[in-house]
Amino acid sequence: MKTAMPLLLALFIFQVSAQKAPVQKQRTLWNDFTYDMGSMFGGIGHAYSRPFHWKGDDWARFGYTAAGTALLFTIDDELDDWANGIRGDVPQFVKDYGNRFGNPDNNYMLTGGIYAVGLFTKNEKLRRTGVLLMASATAGGFLQQVTKRIIGRARPRSGDPSSTYDLFHLDRVFNYDSFFSGHTMLAFTNAYAIAKQFKNPWVKAGIYTVGMVPGFVRVVDRFHWVSDVAFSAVLSIFIVESIDKYLDKKYSEKYNDQSKDVSWHLSFGPRKMGVVISF
C-alpha cells in the first residue's frame, strides 16, 4: 500500500501536466491566410470605430484637417487657373503613371502581389505589410465611394466652379463626384505604408513624393481640385496609422521602433498660413 501511493501520485501529476501542455497548432498557408484576412477586416473595423474613442488631441487633429480643407476650398478655382499654366509642360508618361497607379484594379494587383509573396515565403513582416496595404485601401476606398455620392462636388472639367454640388445620389454622377480623390487616396496609402519599412528620412521623402504624383496629375488633368487631393492624402495617413496600431497586437514582427504618433500644428508667417504634419 505504501508503494502504490507514490506511484498513483506520480501518475496523477503526469496526467495533469499532460492536460496543461499547450497543443501546438500546425502552421499552414491556409491558417496564415485565414488569420491575415481576419486581421485585415479587424483593422478596417478598428479604423472606422476610432472616432468613437477620440479624445482632446484627436478632435484637435480633426479640426485642423477640416480647417485646412475649408481654407483650400476658398482658393480651389484660383489654383485650377494656376494649373492651366503648367498643364502642357507635364510629360505624358507622368500623366499616364499618375492616372493608372491610383486605379483600384492596379492598386489591388500591387498590394495583393506583396501579400502573396509574404504568404508563400512565410515572411511575417511582408504578410503584415500586405494586410496593412489591403486594409487601408479598402477602408479608404469604401469611404471615398460613399462620400462622393453624398457630397456630389463638381469636378473642374465639368465647367462649374468648385462650389457647385449635386447632393445625395446612390448612383454615380460623372463629373459630380470630385470630393475626395480616390486615386490620391490609394496611391498615397501605398506610399505611406511602404515608407514605414524604412528609417532613412530621405528614402521616406522619396517614396512620399512618388505617392503624391497621382494626386498632382489628377489636378493637372482637371479631375480634382487641390482640396480634394490634400484631404485624401491626410486621411490616408490617419487610416494607415490607425490600422497599423491595430496590427501591432496581431503580429510580432514590427517594421521599426519609431513612434506611430502623428502631430499637427498651425504655422503662421508673413502672408502665409499652413498646417504642418509630423509623422
Side-chain angles (χ1 to χ4, degrees):
M1 185 68 178
K2 292 182 179 180
T3 304
M5 286 299 293
L7 290 176
L8 289 174
L9 181 61
L11 180 62
F12 175 77
I13 294 173
F14 174 79
Q15 289 177 335
V16 170
S17 299
Q19 290 175 356
K20 291 184 177 180
V23 178
Q24 296 294 328
K25 186 177 181 180
Q26 184 179 6
R27 181 176 176 182
T28 64
L29 286 178
W30 177 250
N31 290 338
D32 285 345
F33 175 76
T34 54
Y35 182 84
D36 294 338
M37 292 303 101
S39 299
M40 184 182 77
F41 286 107
I44 295 171
H46 180 81
Y48 285 156
S49 67
R50 288 308 87 198
F52 298 105
H53 303 275
W54 282 354
K55 297 180 180 179
D57 290 343
D58 300 307
W59 285 108
R61 296 185 187 108
F62 174 77
Y64 290 145
T65 302
T69 303
L71 180 64
L72 287 174
F73 266 48
T74 65
I75 57 174
D76 270 329
D77 293 292
E78 288 76 10
L79 292 173
D80 182 56
D81 291 338
W82 167 82
N84 277 327
I86 63 172
R87 286 192 175 101
D89 300 326
V90 179
Q92 188 60 43
F93 77 89
V94 174
K95 292 183 179 180
D96 291 340
Y97 166 78
N99 285 315
R100 291 174 183 172
F101 184 64
N103 180 279
D105 294 337
N106 295 330
N107 176 79
Y108 281 105
M109 285 179 60
L110 170 66
T111 58
I114 292 174
Y115 172 71
V117 172
L119 178 66
F120 287 105
T121 61
K122 300 185 183 298
N123 186 317
E124 183 177 306
K125 185 180 291 187
L126 205 54
R127 281 171 49 214
R128 172 180 171 149
T129 302
V131 170
L132 176 62
L133 288 166
M134 293 187 293
S136 300
T138 303
F142 178 77
L143 184 62
Q144 187 259 351
Q145 290 293 315
V146 172
T147 302
K148 71 180 185 180
R149 283 166 170 77
I150 294 175
I151 295 178
R153 191 185 194 193
R155 293 183 185 267
R157 57 174 48 199
S158 70
D160 288 326
S162 62
S163 57
T164 302
Y165 299 90
D166 189 3
L167 302 173
F168 300 108
H169 286 277
L170 293 179
D171 296 327
R172 179 181 179 184
V173 179
F174 287 93
N175 285 335
Y176 291 88
D177 52 355
S178 185
F179 187 82
F180 47 95
S181 172
H183 279 66
T184 304
M185 166 71 72
L186 294 177
F188 198 71
T189 291
N190 290 343
Y192 190 77
I194 292 172
K196 282 180 166 291
Q197 313 296 319
F198 305 94
K199 292 184 178 181
N200 189 303
W202 294 105
V203 173
K204 286 179 175 287
I207 296 173
Y208 295 151
T209 300
V210 173
M212 281 305 300
V213 169
F216 169 74
V217 169
R218 299 298 279 181
V219 171
V220 168
D221 280 351
R222 306 198 76 202
F223 283 103
H224 288 286
W225 309 97
V226 171
S227 60
D228 301 333
V229 169
F231 180 84
S232 300
V234 173
L235 186 60
S236 297
I237 294 172
F238 282 117
I239 289 176
V240 172
E241 290 292 351
S242 175
I243 294 176
D244 197 28
K245 286 183 179 179
Y246 172 82
L247 295 181
D248 278 345
K249 299 178 291 186
K250 306 292 289 184
Y251 296 89
S252 59
E253 290 285 344
K254 314 296 182 186
Y255 307 120
N256 51 59
D257 297 328
Q258 290 179 321
S259 172
K260 292 183 172 62
D261 291 332
V262 180
S263 62
W264 296 68
H265 65 272
L266 289 173
S267 176
F268 297 93
R271 302 181 63 183
K272 68 178 181 180
M273 180 181 73
V275 179
V276 178
I277 310 173
S278 301
F279 44 83

